[in-house]
Amino acid sequence: MLRVAVLASGGGTNLQALLDALHGSPSPIARVTRVVSDRPNTGALERAHRAGVPATVLRDPTDPAELLTALDDAGLVVLAGYLKLVPAPVVARFRWRMINIHPALLPGFGGAGMYGRRVHAAVLASGAAESGATVHYVDEQFDRGPVIAQTRVPVRPGDTPEALAARVLTAEHQLLPSVVLELARRGIPNQPVRM
Ligand code: GRF
């Protein structure tokens, strides 16, 4: 059974989508076994508590040793709304076993500072006809690792960043669990996959 650790800094709706998808089945092939946050009192930590999943609040998210201890024996690490850069030794330890979900169609609209409302405002300002969500491998830079899977949503006339964000978030809640389950089925290959 694949042990999944989730790194989350915020409200945790992607974590919740994972919990609902993985813990729902009678004989799960994967379970969330740890939630790690870089800040206390977040929705993600509350959701972990409600689901009976152990949680860790990092004292120093830049400390590779602390993060490696928290991630312990995870077979897959999922960044779900985690806003800190993962220290390089941790990226190396989990090469091809650490994934992130980003609320846009990478490589566009990603990188340092591109999170939350800013992403969707940039997409709207660009005049793009569609946006979407991307699950990709984590490497030493924000949002740069190889893409695993993407899902597209339309940009609609008159969209506000909030309206687009909500449409993308709904797509994220379908994409992330499906990628995690497919990786679990494939036994987490030790080279990058594209779905
Ligand atoms: C999501 O839009 C995700 O793509 C981005 O941060 C947001 C997290 O939302 N990385 P939530 O905490 O999962 O609700």
Side-chain angles (χ1 to χ4, degrees), residues 12-165:
T13 66
N14 274 289
L15 165 65
Q16 191 63 55
L18 267 183
L19 289 167
D20 296 347
L22 300 188
H23 294 202
S25 62
S27 59
I29 62 170
R31 284 188 76 84
V32 177
T33 51
R34 170 77 51 187
V35 171
V36 178
S37 181
D38 62 297
R39 61 185 75 170
N41 311 317
T42 63
L45 289 170
E46 177 53 38
R47 294 173 191 275
H49 179 70
R50 276 206 300 273
V53 174
T56 301
V57 178
L58 296 172
R59 186 184 45 77
D60 176 4
T62 65
D63 175 3
E66 185 185 11
L67 187 49
L68 283 169
T69 302
L71 296 177
D72 190 24
D73 61 348
L76 178 68
V77 180
V78 177
L79 277 60
Y82 186 71
L83 300 181
K84 299 290 186 186
L85 198 62
V86 176
V90 183
V91 171
R93 160 77 178 73
F94 285 96
R95 186 77 59 191
W96 314 131
R97 296 179 162 272
M98 183 179 279
I99 65 175
N100 178 51
I101 184 155
H102 182 74
L105 296 174
L106 294 177
F109 308 105
M114 285 302 275
Y115 59 85
R117 189 179 189 283
R118 252 176 285 189
V119 177
H120 308 291
V123 169
L124 293 175
S126 76
E130 59 181 12
S131 188
T134 302
V135 177
H136 65 96
Y137 289 101
V138 172
D139 70 9
E140 293 76 3
Q141 301 292 323
F142 286 114
D143 305 328
R144 192 189 63 176
V147 170
I148 300 173
Q150 293 187 305
T151 185
R152 294 170 185 279
V153 302
V155 174
R156 293 207 161 81
D159 262 344
T160 60
E162 289 71 21
L164 181 55

